[in-house]
Amino acid sequence: MNSLHFTTESSSDGMLERGFSLGEVPGVLWSPATGAERAPLVLMGHGGGAHKRHPAMTGRARLLTGSGFHVAVLDAPGHGDRPRSALDERDIAALREAQAAGEPEAPVVVPYNARLAELAVPEYRATLDALQELPEIGAGGPVGYVGVAMGTAIGVPLVAAEPRIMAAVFGGMWPDALIEKAQQITVPVEFAMQWDSERIPREGALALFDAFASKEKSLHANAGEHADFRLIEADSATRFLTRHLGSAANSAAN
Amino acid sequence: MNSLHFTTESSSDGMLERGFSLGEVPGVLWSPATGAERAPLVLMGHGGGAHKRHPAMTGRARLLTGSGFHVAVLDAPGHGDRPRSALDERDIAALREAQAAGEPEAPVVVPYNARLAELAVPEYRATLDALQELPEIGAGGPVGYVGVAMGTAIGVPLVAAEPRIMAAVFGGMWPDALIEKAQQITVPVEFAMQWDSERIPREGALALFDAFASKEKSLHANAGEHADFRLIEADSATRFLTRHLGSAANSAAN
């Protein structure tokens, strides 16, 4: 197994940011500057076409470290600092063609993201192994997952496969490739959807939420189209993870 | 118009509780013990078979006054300290018969609650008039509404009719008598449903949420049956009202 190497380190406003690599996979670990010892860990997955330091990731990291979590994200295959394969180039070209022609994206995005998930799931599991060897995280502590859109395409099979993940936040993805994996998930789930999404059909989003076997699951459906996704859901996700992972650092915010 | 008379007054843990009557309608006004001047007002409606001091009301009042709101609730017609009419007795007997026979409740509850709503809506509007004459509330300030189940049966026609109400929390009611009124509501709405309710069909709850004309609306669907309704939604409702009514008293909790 590859071991984790820190490549960069910086700190601002009470948050420590360390870039790392695990073999050829680059990632970022954010931690509270104080009180980080044995704090719970949240793994995140970014959206399609984004990367590990996309504002959606750094914004959530700020909220989560502020509630006492370690937060780690990887560049997905073919994203961020990682090279694109010939298959990536093919899929991205097909997606741009579909978008330019005004054709449905799902026939391209669903198999593209399913392919990336097959690569990314073992990368996340190896990263979790390595992060739990760090003294400030340790083995056996609670672990959560947050990812919408492509972060859900990767996260649903990851959470289905990984018993260390005890709570997960998903949303914003077509259900087609994910239903069977969702049916294997029993940990608490918070699931966000855009009620008027022009991309993900309402019935499909509801079907994916319905598929989770979790006894405790919450759907948050907000009026608006895909791009209207509401920041308030990042606050809600932080509270959800605080409730379920028991961050001692900020119990007052629960 | 009847004027409002305070009948009781007590105080505990930073919350002032005043019983009042407006004509023959009894109610309760809860206020923060400090910082109450010109604080925003939340009207609440209790559930069927409950009353103005039901724990679901006092618990929400505690959360809302803690966030700097005045909170008022009335006994619904035939509930709490109010006498039952012959029609009330007839409807309650029919409901008990349906429950005992294991028959659907909706054919009884929907028209029963619609009848109560016709009586209760003008009572709430007159109460709002009277409360806004109190110096600690005043006219022109923001007003919210919270009520699930029968509190939604009363609240949807109330919010549709009452332009002073600027944000509302609903849920847990059959859509049948409420769709047209919901289509007239444009203020922000937070709507809670039980995903596995044995009483309210899932499609009916989704149809009622869909009917609100509000540009900003959020559905919170939680796994579980009717009785599993989650306290976490009372916290969420308090944050929702704080965001939309701008409680200055507790902006840090937003």
Side-chain angles (χ1 to χ4, degrees), chain A residues 195-196 202-203 206 209-210 214-224 230 232-233 235 239 243-244 254, chain B residues 195-196 202-203 206 209-210 214-224 230 232-233 235 239 243-244 254:
Chain A
W195 190 246
D196 310 293
R202 186 180 296 172
E203 292 308 315
L206 295 174
F209 173 70
D210 197 41
S214 312
K215 187 178 171 191
E216 183 162 350
K217 59 180 178 179
S218 297
L219 170 74
H220 288 185
N222 291 298
R230 297 191 51 226
I232 194 73
E233 291 302 336
D235 284 322
R239 283 192 300 274
R243 288 198 302 276
H244 290 289
N254 190 359
Chain B
W195 190 245
D196 310 294
R202 186 179 297 172
E203 291 308 314
L206 295 174
F209 173 69
D210 196 42
S214 312
K215 187 178 172 192
E216 183 162 350
K217 60 180 178 180
S218 296
L219 171 74
H220 287 186
N222 292 299
R230 297 192 49 226
I232 194 71
E233 291 302 336
D235 284 323
R239 282 191 300 274
R243 288 197 301 277
H244 291 289
N254 190 358

